[in-house]
């Protein structure tokens, strides 16, 4: 082989060769190439080609082979986009030239396939992986009847010939050698069946640089796989493997990334079960070839970077691949192709149909055969709050109470139940789309007293008998292997006493009916209320003791097949749970019977069934980080708040006409946080109701109806509130500003009427203009209502000096000032407890909503004695629910929790940290025009260079974040502001995760190529 350094062809020479051979004038750009010298050619009229100049004295047969493939495809596979050969001036498919040493070189000109190179596409998600597989499958299909002697030569890149790599093991470190040998040995051990697989000429090189992708930035597709230089007659599965091997590099979970490629291939060219048995190792052997070639080349051509280009990611992938069980991989590949994931699943199920087992055989001392289904799923109301199910004494007590009610039944269930019980991070992994928690329970639990004996249903051999130590592990664990004629399977018995498990030796035979173990108590049983975890497995995979009893939701179909339902043995109707309604059914009902103007969040709506701190969970146990919800102020389902409500609910709930401490206590808790002047309270049930009441107070106190409010402001859903909410009456379905509402421009210093920090005075002047307009109509001012940070307007911070000045104008005109703190109150601002305190003003009325009840409908209006006195004009203010003892107990506990847990300070610290990090992102990503807000009430605005709002990009970002398990919301009149206002328990780690995924998605093509 000639060294690359020996011969160089300049772009000028390439242009000359092009003209001389093809009579085409064009400019040449050098492209990387492993075998040929490649140039992209662009002609004056915009046509593009690829010019390929061979090495001197290259093998003619090889050149002809490449030519014949392309000609064959052109004739036989019209639907396939492949390069076409352009003839030279003499009509030859291949031109010949001679270098200065009279060495012959072959020149070919191919049509250019437009698009983007795979490696330049970001992100590469399921859709593009599928279309890669589909394209490769189409090529294989097209080449089924193509034959060529040149395709049968010895080639190092042919996976079927890959054992040559064994000779080079000495080039690697011990650890690397172990990995290489592992795969080489696996390959060798399975050669017999491998050699019987279907063969064909295949492309054999769908690497990152050979894949051409469409220009669509949101749903890109593979247009073509080019460069047939490595095509070879080999096992078809090798081609699938190569497409996978390159495309799944740089993925946290390469196995998951491979599946759509396999699905796509199978879609165009159906794969066989026997082929899938070899796919795992064929992928590995391609990588082994690649890194062995790199190791050799590193020595031979140290200067050629192209040769080394994929070494590091290949090693990373090989390391990850080594940790994946080959059996598990095979099950997932089978599933991707529509086969039952585990090959023995059907055999097992058929066997259970022919054999009958009784529960009483498993627990003869209990003597019951009836079961009662116990729902421990994430949606279960029986398990209650997390503080309850984490209290094992309480949990056990509840089990015993239930058992008393159903004395003739065994409480049991749990197969494929998504559970929220697994709180340890041991159950988390970072997948290709963010954090994933294991939640799907794979066995059946039988809730029976400690020391209950467990007996064998059938003969078995002990393969595991250990103490699986640790919180939420198995404790005393026994696994038995069972061999039948055409089937081998395993049964697992977890949470026993350690002694009863350890009495067995590996290899012991346990006969049907013999005792296996006795149920343990906490903590020795892994820290659970006593129960047996009973699971069936068709393969041990590579596990010895830590066989998963809980799986990731994304792998449910695989685990369902690997670990079939143990109820196949017992056939108990009680265990067939009537599962939740599907989301589709919920949507259909909503559409028919709920108000049409109720919207749903996200393109694919989520059903939330459980909250915990800053997280929410859907019915499948998928956990979402909530950056949106300032209602769950101290954290979703905060235990103390839940308790406060539950306790009071159990006592009495009535209206505020009776004396009760709770209403006074909540009033007291609020007054503590407010300036002295603001000390009279009215309790209501929503922010809208609070603003509604505030406006009534204004009318009573001033005798005026005219209200001044901000453009893009929102104050609630009632008649009066809509009338003062420009966000609504200036938005879709709105009819513009009513007679008694005066709107001043959104005081947005970034993109508003007046820009820059010093525009506070100018916006205050706009308020003055509103007052003037009211006077011109011969009326006087009622009030100014404004939020301290205008939330629906896009988290717009009021400019310095604005509020003070505006208040003074309004008061001069005899009006009142209302601070709408429905979004901003209760410590969220960090620096101050209330938003108005940021501006050194004291309003006459403050309205409080969302955070006060932490999700319970509770709101309040605070005012001065003077306003309160004027409002009390003889007409009673009665509110059936406002100020009831349950709501007040909850509200008081929320405020105490903010205090006790130091959440205002926390909001300041985490908010400042997050804002600083977001500002760093703004430097890196110019699409972020502005970062603003206070404490944990922040906003990022996406614009182009001319400050044009980028709503599509904002929506893309929010939806992609959701796909990574992070919930974000969009606001602003132009729908281009991402709001961040999480429960205040949002941690620094959460902030770091948020930044990490924002950075990841901001780098994606759709986010970087805006105009
Ligand atoms: C600033 C502001 N005020 C008032 C309201 C109305 O509150 P509610 O939805 O509780 O009636 C909202 C609701 O989003 C709000 O954001």
């Amino acid at each position: 082989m000639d060294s690359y350094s020996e011969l160089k062809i300049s772009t000028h020479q390439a242009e000359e060769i092009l003209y001389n051979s093809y009579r085409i004038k064009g400019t040449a750009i050098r492209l990387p190439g492993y075998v040929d010298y490649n140039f992209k050619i662009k002609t004056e009229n915009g046509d593009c080609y690829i010019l390929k100049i061979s090495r001197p004295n290259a093998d003619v047969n090889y050149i002809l082979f490449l030519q014949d493939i392309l000609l064959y495809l052109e004739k036989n596979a019209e639907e396939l986009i492949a390069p076409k050969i352009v003839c030279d001036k003499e009509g030859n498919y291949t031109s010949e030239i001679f270098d200065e040493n009279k060495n012959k070189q072959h020149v070919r000109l191919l049509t250019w396939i437009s698009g983007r190179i795979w490696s330049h596409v970001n992100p590469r998600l399921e859709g593009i992986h599928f279309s890669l597989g589909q394209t490769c499958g189409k090529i294989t299909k097209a080449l089924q009847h193509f034959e060529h002697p040149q395709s049968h030569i010895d080639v190092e890149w042919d996976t079927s010939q890959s054992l040559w790599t064994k000779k080079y093991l000495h080039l690697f470190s011990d650890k690397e050698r172990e990995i290489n040998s592992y795969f080489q040995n696996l390959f060798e051990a399975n050669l017999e069946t491998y050699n019987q697989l279907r063969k064909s000429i295949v492309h054999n090189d769908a690497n990152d640089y050979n894949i051409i992708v469409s220009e669509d930035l949101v749903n890109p597709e593979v247009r073509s796989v080019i460069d047939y230089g490595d095509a070879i007659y080999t096992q078809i599965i090798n081609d699938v493997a190569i497409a996978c091997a390159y495309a799944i590099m740089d993925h946290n979970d390469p196995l998951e990334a491979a599946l759509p490629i396999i699905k796509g291939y199978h879609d165009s060219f159906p794969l066989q079960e026997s082929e899938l048995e070899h796919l795992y190792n064929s992928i590995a052997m391609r990588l082994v070839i690649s890194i062995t070639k790199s190791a050799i080349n590193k020595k031979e051509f140290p200067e050629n970077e192209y040769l080394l280009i994929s070494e590091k990611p290949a090693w990373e992938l090989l390391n990850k691949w080594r940790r994946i069980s080959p059996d598990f991989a095979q099950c997932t590949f089978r599933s991707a192709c529509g086969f039952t994931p585990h090959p023995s699943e059907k055999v097992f199920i058929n066997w259970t149909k022919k054999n009958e087992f009784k529960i009483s055989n498993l627990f003869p001392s209990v003597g019951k055969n009836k079961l009662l289904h116990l729902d421990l799923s994430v949606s279960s109301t029986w398990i209650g709050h997390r503080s309850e199910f984490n209290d094992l004494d309480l949990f056990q007590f509840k089990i015993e109470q239930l058992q008393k009610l159903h004395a003739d039944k065994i409480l049991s269930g749990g197969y494929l139940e998504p559970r929220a019980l697994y709180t340890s991070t041991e159950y988390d992994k970072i997948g290709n789309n963010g954090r994933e928690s294991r939640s799907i329970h794979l066995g059946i639990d039988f809730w029976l007293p400690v020391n209950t004996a467990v007996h064998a249903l059938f003969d078995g051999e002990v393969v595991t008998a250990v103490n699986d130590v640790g919180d939420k592990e198995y404790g005393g664990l026994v696994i038995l292997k069972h061999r039948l004629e055409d089937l081998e399977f395993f049964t697992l018995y977890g949470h026993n006493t350690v002694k009863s498990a350890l009495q067995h030796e590996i290899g012991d035979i346990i006969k049907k009916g013999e005792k296996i173990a006795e149920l343990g108590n906490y903590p020795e049983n892994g820290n659970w209320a006593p129960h047996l975890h009973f699971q069936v497995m068709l393969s041990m995979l590579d596990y010895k003791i830590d066989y998963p009893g809980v799986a990731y939701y994304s792998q449910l179909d695989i685990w369902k097949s690997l670990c079939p339902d143990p109820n196949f043995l017992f056939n108990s109707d009680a265990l067939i749970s009537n599962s939740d309604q599907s989301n589709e059914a919920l949507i259909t009902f909503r559409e028919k019977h709920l108000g049409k103007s109720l919207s749903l969040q996200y393109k694919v709506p989520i059903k939330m069934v459980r909250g915990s701190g800053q997280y929410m969970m859907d019915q499948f146990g998928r956990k979402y980080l909530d950056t949106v919800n300032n209602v769950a102020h101290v954290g979703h389902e905060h235990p103390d708040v839940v308790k406060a409500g539950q306790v009071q609910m159990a006592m009495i709930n009535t209206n505020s006409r009776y004396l009760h401490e709770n209403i006074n206590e909540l009033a007291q808790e609020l007054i503590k946080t407010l300036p002295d002047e603001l000390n009279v309270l009215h309790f209501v049930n929503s922010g809208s109701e609070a603003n509604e009441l505030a406006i009534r107070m204004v009318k009573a106190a001033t005798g005026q109806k005219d209200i001044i409010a901000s453009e893009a402001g929102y104050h609630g859903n009632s008649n009066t509130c809509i009338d003062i909410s420009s966000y609504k009456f200036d938005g879709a379905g709105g009819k513009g500003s009513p007679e008694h509402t005066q709107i001043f421009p959104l005081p947005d210093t970034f993109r508003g009427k007046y820009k820059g920090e010093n525009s506070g005075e100018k916006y205050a002047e706009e308020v003055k203009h509103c007052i003037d307009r009211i006077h011109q109509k011969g009326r006087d001012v009622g009030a100014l209502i404004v939020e301290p940070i205008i939330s629906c307007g896009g988290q717009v911070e009021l400019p310095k000096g604005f509020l003070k000045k505006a208040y003074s104008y309004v008061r001069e005109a005899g009006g009142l000032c209302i601070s709408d703190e429905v979004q901003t109150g209760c410590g969220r601002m960090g620096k101050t407890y209330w938003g108005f305190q940021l501006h050194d003003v004291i309003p006459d009325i403050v309205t409080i909503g969302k955070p006060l009840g932490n999700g319970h409908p509770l709101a309040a209006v605070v005012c001065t004695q003077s306003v309160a006195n004027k409002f009390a004009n003889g007409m009673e203010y009665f509110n059936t629910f406002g100020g009831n003892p349950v709501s007040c107990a909850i509200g008081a506990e929320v405020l105490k929790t903010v205090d006790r847990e130091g959440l205002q300070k926390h909001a300041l610290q985490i908010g400042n940290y997050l804002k600083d990090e977001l500002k760093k992102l703004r430097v890196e990503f110019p699409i972020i025009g502005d970062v603003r807000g206070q404490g944990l009430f922040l906003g990022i605005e996406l614009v182009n260079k001319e400050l044009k709002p980028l709503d599509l990009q904002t929506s893309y970002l929010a939806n992609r974040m959701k796909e990574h398990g992070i919930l974000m919301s969009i606001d602003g009149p132009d729908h281009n502001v991402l709001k961040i206002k999480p429960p205040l328990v949002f941690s620094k780690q959460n902030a770091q995760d948020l930044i990490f995924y924002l950075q990841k998605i901001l780098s994606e093509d759709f986010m970087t190529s805006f105009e």
Side-chain angles (χ1 to χ4, degrees), residues 686-689 691 714-717 787 791-792 820 822-823 850:
S686 69
S688 305
E689 230 190 313
N691 283 327
Y714 176 68
H715 300 288
N717 58 37
E787 287 180 275
S791 175
C792 292
D820 181 338
V822 169
Q823 296 253 9
K850 297 183 190 290

Side-chain angles (χ1 to χ4, degrees), residues 630-631 685-691 713-718 721 725 785-792 820-824 847-850 857-859 937 971 979 981:
N630 57 345
V631 175
N685 309 291
S686 69
S688 305
E689 230 190 313
N691 283 327
Y714 176 68
H715 300 288
N717 58 37
S718 65
C721 291
S725 297
I785 182 167
V786 64
E787 287 180 275
I789 293 180
I790 300 175
S791 175
C792 292
D820 181 338
E821 301 272 351
V822 169
Q823 296 253 9
T824 50
T847 52
I848 308 164
K850 297 183 190 290
L858 169 62
F937 199 68
D971 231 320
K979 296 207 286 194
K981 48 190 183 80

